[in-house]
Amino acid sequence: MVDDLPKSELLRAVKTLIDLNEVPHLHLPQHKLFTLTSVALQYLMYYAGKNPGSYILRIEDSLLLEKLVKRSKDPTTRNFLRALFLPRKIKYKTSLFFLDYFHVGTWQKTNEIPKDRIKGALIIKNSHTRPMMETGYVEGEEEDQIPNIFPPDFYYTSLQEIAPKTVVLAYGEKFEGTEIVEFPWIKKEDEKISGMTFAKDLGQDIFK
């Protein structure tokens, strides 16, 4: 069973990101990846409702996606990612969400999106570090024909260049041109969470 975030806590975290709407590129560097995935995806869904267009979810590999489907911290996020798994494209309100992975062999659909339609992207990296071209991907595509010619952070910088809004989840990484956002109620691994306070509801249901 997944230990979901209380809705009030999730809303408070999403509201923090909403207050930063004018900041184009955000980096969430803390270690609670399943928690941050729920926060970031719910924020991007809210943002997409206000800014119709095309949105890209770039996840390190299909194995990480499977973990996120099972262990993200709210049912809406889990269901959204499950629906996006195949065919890697779904409609949400008046926007389209596309899924690809760090390996460039999975970028065919997203490369076909008109650049002026791309409004945002969410990038989720696993907690370990390895070269971009070593990450696997699905559908049995051959990867050994593609040389390792890209910088290790190309999975993010390639989107940062074309998307006016990006949120990257990457523990222990640094990215130029991003504003770091840390939630004080996410404690370090050796600290206990205590004395949390919750903000009021956003005043609208962002989970529809």
Side-chain angles (χ1 to χ4, degrees):
M1 294 293 293
V2 176
D3 185 15
D4 284 345
L5 285 172
K7 186 174 180 180
S8 58
E9 186 175 330
L10 181 56
L11 288 170
R12 182 181 66 160
V14 173
K15 179 64 162 56
T16 297
L17 300 186
I18 291 174
D19 289 342
L20 295 171
N21 267 349
E22 300 304 315
V23 179
H25 306 297
L26 304 175
H27 177 200
L28 279 55
Q30 291 167 289
H31 66 285
K32 295 288 188 179
L33 186 60
F34 302 128
T35 296
L36 294 177
T37 295
S38 282
V39 172
L41 183 56
Q42 292 299 336
Y43 166 68
L44 199 65
M45 292 167 67
Y46 170 87
Y47 188 88
K50 301 292 184 180
N51 301 274
S54 295
Y55 290 80
I56 298 169
L57 266 66
R58 179 164 292 167
I59 298 173
E60 183 163 340
D61 52 39
S62 59
L63 295 178
L64 178 58
L65 176 57
E66 290 176 3
K67 292 180 181 179
L68 296 174
V69 167
K70 296 176 180 177
R71 300 178 64 184
S72 294
K73 295 299 184 176
D74 75 289
T76 299
T77 295
R78 294 192 295 271
N79 291 336
F80 189 95
L81 293 175
R82 186 178 295 111
L84 188 59
F85 208 143
L86 289 174
R88 289 167 47 183
K89 174 183 175 181
I90 61 174
K91 184 176 182 180
Y92 174 73
K93 295 185 176 179
T94 55
S95 293
L96 290 173
F97 279 73
F98 296 82
L99 169 70
D100 63 23
Y101 302 101
F102 283 14
H103 197 286
V104 296
T106 67
W107 296 4
Q108 180 178 353
K109 287 185 179 180
T110 46
N111 285 339
E112 293 173 354
I113 304 171
K115 296 299 184 287
D116 61 346
R117 287 286 300 165
I118 298 175
K119 301 298 182 182
L122 171 60
I123 303 92
I124 305 176
K125 184 184 184 302
N126 214 335
S127 57
H128 61 277
T129 299
R130 57 182 176 173
M132 193 190 88
M133 295 305 294
E134 290 184 4
T135 59
Y137 61 102
V138 296
E139 298 181 358
E141 296 160 302
E142 293 295 332
E143 58 181 283
D144 57 359
Q145 300 299 318
I146 304 176
N148 186 357
I149 60 174
F150 300 103
D153 60 354
F154 189 66
Y155 62 87
Y156 172 60
T157 57
S158 60
L159 290 176
Q160 189 184 39
E161 293 175 355
I162 61 175
K165 169 67 70 174
T166 65
V167 183
V168 56
L169 279 54
Y171 178 67
E173 303 283 337
K174 292 183 179 180
F175 302 97
E176 291 187 6
T178 62
E179 180 164 326
I180 292 175
V181 181
E182 293 187 345
F183 301 104
W185 46 270
I186 297 180
K187 303 300 181 181
K188 294 181 180 179
E189 293 181 79
D190 58 351
E191 294 177 331
K192 293 182 179 180
I193 298 176
S194 62
M196 284 191 253
T197 58
F198 301 126
K200 293 182 180 179
D201 197 292
L202 293 173
Q204 54 188 309
D205 188 356
I206 66 171
F207 302 104
K208 290 183 178 179

